Amino acid sequence: MKIGIIGAGNIGKNAAKLFVEAGHEIAIANSRGPETLDETVEKIGGDAIAMEIEDVAKFGEIVLVAIPFGKYKTLPVDTLANKIVIDAGNYYPNRDGKFEEIEGGEMTESELVAKHLENSTIVKAFNTIWSEHLKSQGNKDLPVEQRRVIFVCGDDEDAKREVAELIEEIGFGAYDTGGLREGGKTQAPGSAIYNRDLTVREVKGFLRAGY
Ligand SMILES: NC(=O)c1ccc[n+]([C@@H]2O[C@H](COP(=O)([O-])OP(=O)(O)OC[C@H]3O[C@@H](n4cnc5c(N)ncnc54)[C@H](OP(=O)(O)O)[C@@H]3O)[C@@H](O)[C@H]2O)c1
């Protein structure tokens, strides 16, 4: 599959490497332009290529967005239309500025992204795992239940299934926390599961116990 990655930092480049190793074609962009990503694409390996943001959005059948959340309004609405967009972003007011809708509990970070990308299907994933764990903890040899969990949420079941398959291909196990509203809250920074090093099996017991 062709996967576009917007954001070539900690999450973007580690995810890109894992996707390449799983046999996918990758194009990646940052805010400064493809000419600044020579070293990054070399480290990602495979046939990974750097492109302008607009071209990455065009290239990807699925597009992973891994940029500071506060920049979400720069994402290209028309080019990302009719695509699954994986949102790895987190809201950190000190970095992103204050968003009253999130502060007031009216909307989650990914709901704001979904409102902006009005014709895309948003799945929130990869936002609760530290990039170093993303790099090192995938293990395709383990049964899914025993793998490190990566949480997903979204309002489209088929899109979530597709993202869950990608997660399994790179050696993790997906766990669905619901729609963008409740799942977005479950997966937000500071929540009980945020940055918790749990397997799929453990998380089932953990959430049953009421955390
Ligand atoms: N780090 C983690 O462990 C982790 C874990 C889970 C989720 N997250 C979340 O994932 C997101 C990315 O985190 P990160 O740690 O990977 O960030 P990072 O290392 O700071 O990298 C951010 C990347 O986004 C690019 N970027 C910035 N603004 C952009 C824009 N408007 N359009 C396109 N690209 C843009 C930057 O490009 P330039 O360098 O050219 O500006 C850079 O490549 C954040 O929302 C973060 O909270 C992080």
Side-chain angles (χ1 to χ4, degrees):
M1 178 188 289
K2 289 183 170 173
I3 304 178
I5 301 188
I6 300 178
N10 298 305
I11 287 291
K13 59 188 177 200
N14 285 315
K17 193 165 174 43
L18 294 171
F19 290 144
V20 162
E21 285 164 4
H24 297 290
E25 286 178 61
I26 296 299
I28 190 161
N30 63 4
S31 74
R32 286 166 293 149
E35 64 283 0
T36 65
L37 286 170
D38 288 349
E39 203 180 312
T40 300
V41 289
E42 199 176 311
K43 280 190 186 150
I44 292 169
D47 294 327
I49 30 180
M51 294 180 178
E52 299 290 348
I53 296 164
E54 192 69 40
D55 295 326
V56 163
K58 215 174 286 172
F59 171 92
E61 293 163 69
I62 288 188
V63 176
L64 169 68
V65 171
I67 66 175
F69 159 68
K71 303 279 170 51
Y72 77 96
K73 285 202 172 155
T74 65
L75 293 168
V77 178
D78 292 340
T79 324
L80 289 172
N82 306 313
K83 300 193 184 214
I84 295 173
V85 172
I86 306 174
D87 173 27
N90 286 311
Y91 169 55
Y92 284 110
N94 287 345
R95 180 194 65 195
D96 300 320
K98 265 203 170 175
F99 284 76
E100 292 308 330
E101 303 92 323
I102 304 178
E103 295 285 336
E106 294 142 42
M107 288 182 90
T108 58
E109 179 271 343
S110 285
E111 284 181 298
L112 284 174
V113 175
K115 191 174 168 194
H116 173 64
L117 299 178
E118 53 187 0
N119 297 315
S120 307
T121 305
I122 310 300
V123 176
K124 185 171 199 62
F126 297 99
N127 75 303
T128 62
I129 183 165
W130 182 36
S131 58
E132 287 300 313
H133 286 169
L134 180 62
K135 182 155 73 175
S136 62
Q137 290 188 335
N139 186 345
K140 282 181 258 189
D141 296 333
L142 290 174
V144 172
E145 289 268 307
Q146 290 172 31
R147 297 182 186 179
R148 166 76 196 250
V149 72
I150 289 184
F151 293 96
V152 299
C153 68
D155 299 329
D156 185 297
E157 297 302 321
D158 291 340
K160 275 195 286 200
R161 242 188 315 276
E162 218 169 304
V163 174
E165 276 169 28
L166 271 183
I167 287 170
E168 289 191 11
E169 282 177 25
I170 60 170
F172 292 87
Y175 188 91
D176 182 354
T177 64
L180 288 183
R181 174 66 52 86
E182 72 275 23
K185 288 183 178 172
T186 304
Q187 292 180 209
S191 73
I193 59 168
Y194 190 74
N195 199 17
R196 286 289 301 259
D197 186 355
L198 298 164
T199 64
V200 173
R201 181 187 288 156
E202 282 166 346
V203 88
K204 287 179 181 165
F206 187 76
L207 290 177
R208 249 197 314 269
Y211 288 95

